[in-house]
Amino acid sequence: ETQALAQGAIDAMKAGRDDEAIEKFNQITLKIPTCSDCYYNLGLAYTKKGQFDQAETSFKKVLELKPDSADAYTGLANLYNSQKKFDLAAEASNKAQSLAGAAGAAGGNAEATYNQGVILWNGGKYAEAKTQFEAAVAADPNMAMAHYQLGMANLNLGKIHEARTAFEGYLKADPNGAKAAEVKTFLTQLPK
């Protein structure tokens, strides 16, 4: 019964039926109060709905049950970033990055590093953000958005040649990506 409820909750999340997913995950946590995956998914669903207090409570519950959850810290970082709580976002992102690195998850490490860069960028710390985007590109050269953000950081810092290189990296990683038209325009306007 619980397994069917969990599958229904996951299916509801995938279909964008967040209220139904929240209801089902909450039913599971009543039966299995140690279901950290349930609380994590609740955090994601509440974040998507803009119910930030419930999202924060859910992610923090994951950390009570599983203190080494890089995903829960990443969820908190994204939540705080969306609320413009940049100091809290950076703190959570740092923790996610150190846990992902300790676990040896290269993909997670690149994503955590990229997220940390976005948080720094949003906080107006462009040089620090640039360092994080460079590290994300080094960890995962196919992460197109890391190339894009690196290009934007370089532009903001007046490093035109480095911006061109990063934008070219974006097109190489994702030639038809969401930012491809914008990047192509930049490349026609920036001096070589």
Side-chain angles (χ1 to χ4, degrees):
E1 181 187 336
T2 304
Q3 198 169 14
L5 199 56
Q7 189 58 54
I10 291 166
D11 292 344
M13 269 191 88
K14 287 180 181 174
R17 297 188 314 267
D18 298 316
D19 290 329
E20 180 184 337
I22 288 168
E23 180 185 330
K24 289 179 190 258
F25 281 124
N26 277 320
Q27 287 176 18
I28 297 168
T29 61
L30 291 174
K31 296 177 184 194
I32 309 170
T34 58
C35 180
S36 62
D37 289 341
C38 296
Y39 288 108
Y40 174 74
N41 285 311
L42 280 167
L44 294 178
Y46 283 131
T47 299
K48 191 173 168 192
K49 289 181 56 68
Q51 295 176 330
F52 299 133
D53 290 343
Q54 294 94 325
E56 182 178 27
T57 299
S58 297
F59 288 131
K60 285 183 174 180
K61 184 66 177 176
V62 173
L63 294 172
E64 283 177 30
L65 297 168
K66 216 172 146 186
D68 62 345
S69 173
D71 289 339
Y73 280 109
T74 298
L76 281 172
N78 291 336
L79 172 68
Y80 293 142
N81 190 40
S82 69
Q83 295 175 289
K84 300 188 185 326
K85 297 178 179 178
F86 299 127
D87 290 341
L88 289 173
E91 185 180 314
S93 181
N94 283 334
K95 189 70 175 168
Q97 187 177 18
S98 74
L99 288 169
N109 195 16
E111 184 177 344
T113 303
Y114 170 78
N115 286 341
Q116 192 171 24
V118 170
I119 289 163
L120 290 164
W121 174 269
N122 288 341
K125 299 176 181 175
Y126 305 119
E128 295 94 330
K130 176 182 180 280
T131 302
Q132 295 302 315
F133 296 137
E134 287 171 337
V137 166
D140 183 358
N142 293 317
M143 185 181 279
M145 283 306 295
H147 286 281
Y148 172 80
Q149 287 297 144
L150 178 57
M152 294 303 291
N154 279 316
L155 266 184
N156 206 37
L157 295 169
K159 298 178 182 259
I160 304 304
H161 178 71
E162 291 90 339
R164 280 191 73 81
T165 301
F167 290 139
E168 288 165 355
Y170 173 90
L171 289 177
K172 184 177 178 189
D174 193 0
N176 300 309
K179 301 286 186 181
E182 180 182 343
V183 166
K184 288 174 185 174
T185 300
F186 284 148
L187 289 173
T188 62
Q189 295 172 346
L190 295 174
K192 291 186 179 181

